Amino acid sequence: MEPSKVVAPPRLIFWETTAGCNLRCVHCRRLDVLDQVSDTDLSTDVAQRMIAGIAADYKPILVLSGGEPLFRPDILPIARFAKEQGLRVALATNGTLVDDSKAQAIREAGVARVSISLDGVTPATHDRFRGAGNFVRALAGFDALKKENMSVQINMTVTKANAHELPALYDMCLKRGADALHLFMLVPVGCGVDIAETDMLPPDEYERWLNWFYDRDMERKIELKATCAPHYFRIVRQRSKEHGGLPPSHHRQEAKGSPVAGQALHQTTKGCLAGQGVCFISHTGELFPCGYLPLSAGNIQQTPFKTLWETSPLFNKLRDADQLEGKCGICSFKHVCGGCRARAWYAEANEMAEEPHCDYTPPIPSFEKKEGRI
């Protein structure tokens, strides 16, 4: 990327507020989950300086994640501080620690939305991933938040073991008053590596469920988003020709951040946004393109966030679709999909390799055929 090229602002910043968590989920992105907050978690002062620095240059959504963010005794004062800095604050929790008083405190802290993870519509399915009794506890947390009129979204990690419950989960979200349903296609990282071979959807099933998701998106009944599923943006382009327009999720996901010199406020979205519109800050301050791609751009305790975001060679490489390899490199949808860079890394130890779980075969460009490159 040329130094003079304008870098788009971050749209979503996920901050792993702590490595501590009360659950031991089999698909967790971490291997070393702790029973308490860690001595290496960013302190309150460091966290506030980080947030103030980000807010001085950008206005992304800040997602307070973990581990379990509610493990931190200072998490709600931090949320309030971030809101005062002009950031929209979201809280990503497993829901099991949320009771009526905690739900009220979350609302009063100015959190705009809470996401709760549900990996099925039955205790048997959800608890297979997250431990016995946690389905009931998560729903109790959901209900407590809704009583406070909070905006609550449901996150589901999709695998072979629970994909069949997607239609029922969609119906449950409508009936219980969820504001959004976000699907996360399993990425083999952390604990997820151990279940990748048995639980990851094969490419054809991946494709089938994303087409089902498009049909639900076109119903316009609830906010939907496919995450870690960049192929969805190709499917949208292909199928929108039949329907004469893009689904609601596409318009909602336009970039909305503070404008940079010469840059429009709104920018068309795409599939994989790792290091482009999205990034992940670890509990120690390491900056990653996303929470599933274990390649660091540096540490915000040593280098300002703005400097890392705008000048990181890793991030700049990920922003250049012309550096994609394999079938992603020749695909006409590479600028709207891009393939999952984390799955590419898992398969090839190369973040620019082709997405290994894509069922689409792009036509070989005629010039490639002539020159015998493929």
Side-chain angles (χ1 to χ4, degrees):
M1 177 179 290
E2 298 176 2
S4 61
K5 188 171 182 180
V6 173
V7 176
R11 182 182 315 180
L12 282 165
I13 297 178
F14 294 85
W15 171 34
E16 179 188 44
T17 59
T18 180
C21 187
N22 60 317
L23 303 188
R24 294 296 178 271
C25 304
V26 299
H27 49 11
C28 181
R29 57 166 296 281
R30 293 194 62 87
L31 285 171
D32 54 343
V33 179
L34 305 178
D35 292 322
Q36 58 189 1
V37 292
S38 170
D39 292 339
T40 56
D41 292 346
L42 298 183
S43 69
T44 304
D45 289 344
V46 171
Q48 289 182 338
R49 286 199 298 272
M50 173 188 75
I51 290 167
I54 291 170
D57 298 303
Y58 310 112
K59 291 294 182 283
I61 297 172
L62 178 64
V63 182
L64 305 176
S65 182
E68 171 51 55
L70 293 176
F71 252 41
R72 283 190 68 132
D74 61 351
I75 194 63
L76 296 183
I78 286 175
R80 184 178 296 108
F81 176 83
K83 184 177 186 296
E84 291 169 352
Q85 297 297 306
L87 302 184
R88 187 169 187 263
V89 182
L91 181 72
T93 174
N94 58 47
T96 63
L97 301 180
V98 180
D99 55 17
D100 289 346
S101 61
K102 184 66 72 175
Q104 180 181 350
I106 290 170
R107 176 182 58 77
E108 292 174 348
V111 173
R113 173 174 285 184
V114 180
S115 66
I116 290 181
S117 298
L118 278 183
D119 292 325
V121 294
T122 64
T125 303
H126 176 85
D127 293 353
R128 173 187 182 273
F129 295 97
R130 298 182 179 269
N134 288 313
F135 178 77
V136 172
R137 295 186 188 101
L139 283 182
F142 176 95
D143 291 340
L145 289 161
K146 292 306 293 184
K147 283 195 291 186
E148 291 293 326
N149 295 314
M150 288 291 302
S151 175
V152 186
Q153 89 183 33
I154 296 300
N155 293 343
M156 177 183 182
T157 299
V158 183
T159 72
K160 287 181 182 177
N162 63 5
H164 65 284
E165 292 190 4
L166 268 170
L169 182 66
Y170 174 75
D171 290 340
M172 186 176 79
C173 286
L174 295 177
K175 292 174 182 175
R176 294 186 79 101
D179 294 277
L181 171 61
H182 290 200
L183 302 188
F184 290 72
M185 295 300 184
L186 178 66
V187 178
V189 67
C191 294
V193 171
D194 294 334
I195 63 170
E197 295 302 317
T198 56
D199 281 36
M200 284 190 72
L201 289 175
D204 59 334
E205 283 293 290
Y206 193 161
E207 189 87 355
R208 183 171 75 84
W209 282 112
L210 288 180
N211 273 279
W212 171 87
F213 195 67
Y214 175 86
D215 292 333
R216 304 292 78 73
D217 209 352
M218 293 300 291
E219 291 176 353
R220 294 174 164 81
K221 292 181 178 179
I222 188 175
E223 177 189 320
L224 298 174
K225 184 178 180 182
T227 301
C228 303
H231 322 342
Y232 185 62
F233 292 80
R234 164 183 51 82
I235 290 169
V236 164
R237 291 301 194 281
Q238 291 171 317
R239 295 196 57 192
S240 62
K241 294 178 181 178
E242 308 166 16
H243 295 271
L246 296 173
S249 65
H250 235 63
H251 301 298
R252 277 193 297 268
Q253 292 179 51
E254 289 179 342
K256 296 177 181 177
S258 58
V260 178
Q263 180 186 327
L265 182 62
H266 300 284
Q267 177 186 356
T268 302
T269 191
K270 58 175 290 189
C272 183
L273 287 170
Q276 301 174 59
V278 168
C279 64
F280 179 90
I281 301 172
S282 80
H283 74 110
T284 61
E286 291 291 316
L287 181 65
F288 297 93
C290 77
Y292 302 107
L293 182 54
L295 299 174
S296 175
N299 194 297
I300 58 92
Q301 297 194 74
Q302 283 83 49
T303 309
F305 176 86
K306 178 181 172 67
T307 301
L308 293 176
W309 176 260
E310 296 190 357
T311 66
S312 162
L314 169 63
F315 282 18
N316 284 337
K317 179 165 65 171
L318 290 168
R319 292 164 185 159
D320 185 1
D322 291 334
Q323 293 196 47
L324 292 172
E325 300 173 14
K327 70 177 184 179
C328 287
I330 64 170
C331 184
S332 61
F333 293 103
K334 68 182 179 182
H335 293 286
V336 298
C337 170
C340 176
R341 299 299 94 218
R343 290 194 193 95
W345 175 259
Y346 167 74
E348 302 289 341
N350 173 6
E351 69 273 20
M352 305 310 287
E354 69 179 46
E355 154 77 68
H357 289 274
C358 176
D359 200 42
Y360 178 69
T361 302
I364 298 175
S366 57
F367 76 90
E368 297 278 8
K369 293 178 181 176
K370 286 181 182 179
E371 297 182 14
R373 297 185 190 177
I374 297 179

